Amino acid sequence: DHRDLHSFPYTTLFRSHVRRVAQELNYRPNFGYKVMCGQKTNTIALICSSSDTLAEEHIKDLLLSLMIKFEELGHSVYTSVMTASAKENIDKINSLISRGCSGFVLLGTPYGSETIEQIFIQNNLEYISYGQGTKRSVVTDPGYAVSRYIENLLKDRKSTV
């Protein structure tokens, strides 16, 4: 019977003894047990909407940067590439949830994104998307970037005149 230390009526002294021994032995809770009990696993899924999206250089850079940052923060990271089938994508998302993913980053908009977003909401999961397609989207604005670039060019010209 695998129960959490808190589910037994032990004394505080006994619990502190068990924690000390566990720390000395470098005990880590079983990942599978955490998933079965619905405990947080600190696992993030980085989802690329398609192999075409993954071929874009800035997406590769973003994916690598996110992997590094999440791992620095103590998270495990799954990566997955979606397909042109909404059903397959939904199945992949459900599989990742069953493996303990508690956060999702969508790079691009996969087929079935509306249903996928509803799955995240129903399961109370954290998610964000890069690109349009969900209520929690981060988008780049090329027009804004170009206008800022032109403004800076004009400023540089004025300062050299």
Side-chain angles (χ1 to χ4, degrees):
D1 193 2
H2 297 293
R3 288 194 217 155
D4 187 277
L5 185 59
H6 297 286
S7 63
F8 291 99
Y10 295 124
T11 65
T12 305
L13 181 63
F14 183 76
R15 285 184 186 176
S16 64
H17 172 71
V18 170
R19 284 192 182 101
R20 185 176 50 75
V21 170
Q23 186 175 17
E24 288 172 7
L25 296 173
N26 289 324
Y27 170 78
R28 299 281 180 257
N30 181 289
F31 187 82
Y33 175 73
K34 284 180 141 187
V35 172
M36 288 187 329
C37 293
Q39 295 177 3
K40 197 165 183 142
T41 62
N42 289 330
T43 304
I44 306 294
L46 301 177
I47 308 293
C48 200
S49 64
S50 70
S51 54
D52 290 342
T53 303
L54 184 58
E56 296 176 32
E57 201 61 38
H58 74 282
I59 295 293
K60 289 178 187 176
D61 290 343
L62 181 57
L63 187 63
L64 185 58
S65 297
L66 287 167
M67 288 172 65
I68 291 168
K69 190 61 178 175
F70 280 127
E71 288 180 358
E72 285 174 359
L73 294 171
H75 295 279
S76 298
V77 177
Y78 275 111
T79 57
S80 186
V81 177
M82 297 286 109
T83 69
S85 164
K87 183 187 178 328
E88 285 179 27
N89 295 342
I90 291 163
D91 289 345
K92 279 187 180 186
I93 294 298
N94 285 324
S95 174
L96 289 164
I97 292 169
S98 72
R99 288 189 244 161
C101 289
S102 56
F104 291 80
V105 177
L106 303 174
L107 303 174
T109 306
Y111 287 94
S113 62
E114 290 175 6
T115 304
I116 289 168
E117 184 172 25
Q118 287 307 308
I119 291 169
F120 295 154
I121 292 167
Q122 289 167 359
N123 287 284
N124 200 29
L125 299 169
E126 294 295 327
Y127 71 96
I128 192 164
S129 63
Y130 175 74
Q132 298 173 349
T134 71
K135 294 174 184 156
R136 294 185 181 173
S137 295
V138 176
V139 294
T140 55
D141 183 350
Y144 176 76
V146 169
S147 67
R148 293 291 298 166
Y149 179 74
I150 291 170
E151 285 175 23
N152 287 330
L153 269 176
L154 292 174
K155 284 180 189 175
D156 288 345
R157 283 192 177 171
K158 287 180 183 178
S159 66
T160 59
V161 174

